[in-house]
Amino acid sequence: AIQSPKVVPLQDTAKSPHGKRPHAVLVKRIAYVTIDELGAAPAYITSRLTIDKINAVVDEMFEVMTAKYKLLAIPYAKVPPRLLPQWKGYKDEETEDTQGMQFFSENDLRAFKRLKMDHTGKNILTVLRHLGRLKEHRKNGLCRYIVM
C-alpha cells in the first residue's frame, strides 16, 4: 500500500529582528519504500538496489528539500548576500507548471554531493517514480522531480 507523504513542519527557534517568529516551512517527506513495494517493482528497474540504499536516498532528498525551502522562505530583501545567487537559482527553476508544488532538480542533488547522479542514483529516482513517490517534469532543459 502506498503511504501518503508526511508534511513535516520546520520551525526556527530564533526570533526575527522585529521580535516575531518566522513562518514555519512545510516540506513534504517522501514515504519510505517497503520490501513488498520493492519486490513488486520490475527487476530491470530495481537491479541491485536494496531497501537501505533507497531509503537513505529518501532521507537525503528530504535534507535537500529542507535546505531549499528554508532558504526560499526568506524574503528577497533579507537573504544574506552570499546565499542570494542560490536563492535566485531556486526561484528561476520554478515554472507555471510547478507553482505550488514542492520539487527538487538534479542540480539540487548535485550541489548536495552525497547523492551521485550515476547509474545507481538514476535507478533510485526511477524506482521512486515507478512507485508514485515522485513525478518527473522536464521543461527548459531542466529536470525537476515533484514530490507526490
Side-chain angles (χ1 to χ4, degrees), residues 71 74-91:
L71 180 60
I74 302 171
Y76 177 78
K78 295 182 181 179
V79 176
R82 64 181 176 80
L83 296 176
L84 200 53
Q86 187 178 12
W87 187 91
K88 285 181 180 178
Y90 288 153
K91 284 292 187 183

Side-chain angles (χ1 to χ4, degrees), residues 96-141:
E96 295 172 4
D97 301 335
T98 60
Q99 204 68 19
M101 298 180 187
Q102 290 186 346
F103 67 92
F104 58 90
S105 66
E106 288 183 3
N107 296 338
D108 299 339
L109 294 177
R110 282 191 195 103
F112 223 67
K113 295 195 180 172
R114 278 192 276 175
L115 175 65
K116 297 177 187 169
M117 289 307 293
D118 58 356
H119 188 67
T120 303
K122 289 185 180 187
N123 274 359
I124 291 172
L125 291 173
T126 303
V127 167
L128 292 172
R129 278 190 0 242
H130 179 79
L131 295 175
R133 305 289 203 281
L134 298 176
K135 180 180 174 187
E136 189 176 276
H137 180 267
R138 291 180 182 265
K139 191 170 187 180
N140 299 334

